[in-house]
Amino acid sequence: MCCDDGNEFAVGVCLQCFLFLLVATCNFTVYWIIIPIWLGPSPFFANFHAFAFGAINALMTISYLRAWLSDPGSVPEGWTPEEDGEDGNRVPYCKRCDAFRPPRAHHCNQCGKCVLRMDHHCPWVQNCVGAGNVKFFLLFLLYAAAACWYYEGLVLWCLLAAMRSPAGSAGAWLGLLLGSFIVVFTLGILVVCLFGWNCWLAAVNQTAVENYDLEGLSRSKRSARASYDRGVLRNLRSLLGRHPPLWLLP
């Protein structure tokens, strides 16, 4: 996960700090403002939302850490092709790694190595998204989207309560509630769109590199890459595991 470009590494660190501060702010808002307000009129719902929001946060955090710290899919040292590629073309050779590059692998300048089934280098997780951590990246997006909109619902309820009773404890935190609501609402829309996009890529077994055609492939060669599509269920099993009940566990 070492990055060669200092500027891009610094941007990634800033994004990670932003995420940490946002998550900390949201947890403070939920557990020190919203939940105590709810404890009075409805202890059951207060405890329910405290547990549910905490569970989603835990799953999101674990998924994020695994997407960040896991090996995205390094090419095995000394790997050599037994024969030419699937389409009859020669297997590419990476001059920067001084090694053969397996099909669907690409060299990441930030990580300084070739990554198996490379999707993209994500500055938010300071790591490439590849064969080794794509499941954790998808789960991070899923639980981040769930946390965003769960938070929006809780804050909206609290804002309505503050409007009914401006003198209450919620009114004292009105600026924080409204500010975080706007930031999380914007981020929530972006995360949902990104999650939907990545779900579609996973369903057709395609990477962002292949979809965006970064290598300037012709339309005929692009259609050849669609041969990785083996049907939605088989595609998802190849990324998330063979057992669907375990797909949601990071």
Side-chain angles (χ1 to χ4, degrees), residues 160-202:
L160 294 176
M163 292 174 62
R164 290 193 298 266
S165 179
S169 56
W173 297 98
L174 189 59
L176 176 62
L177 290 170
L178 188 57
S180 64
F181 182 88
I182 294 173
V183 173
V184 175
F185 179 82
T186 304
L187 191 61
I189 293 176
L190 296 175
V191 172
V192 168
C193 293
L194 187 59
F195 176 66
W197 169 246
N198 280 272
C199 283
W200 181 82
L201 290 177

Side-chain angles (χ1 to χ4, degrees), residues 41-62:
S42 180
F44 171 79
F45 282 107
N47 292 322
F48 171 81
H49 289 301
F51 174 79
F53 188 77
I56 294 174
N57 260 283
L59 290 168
M60 179 187 70
T61 302
I62 294 172

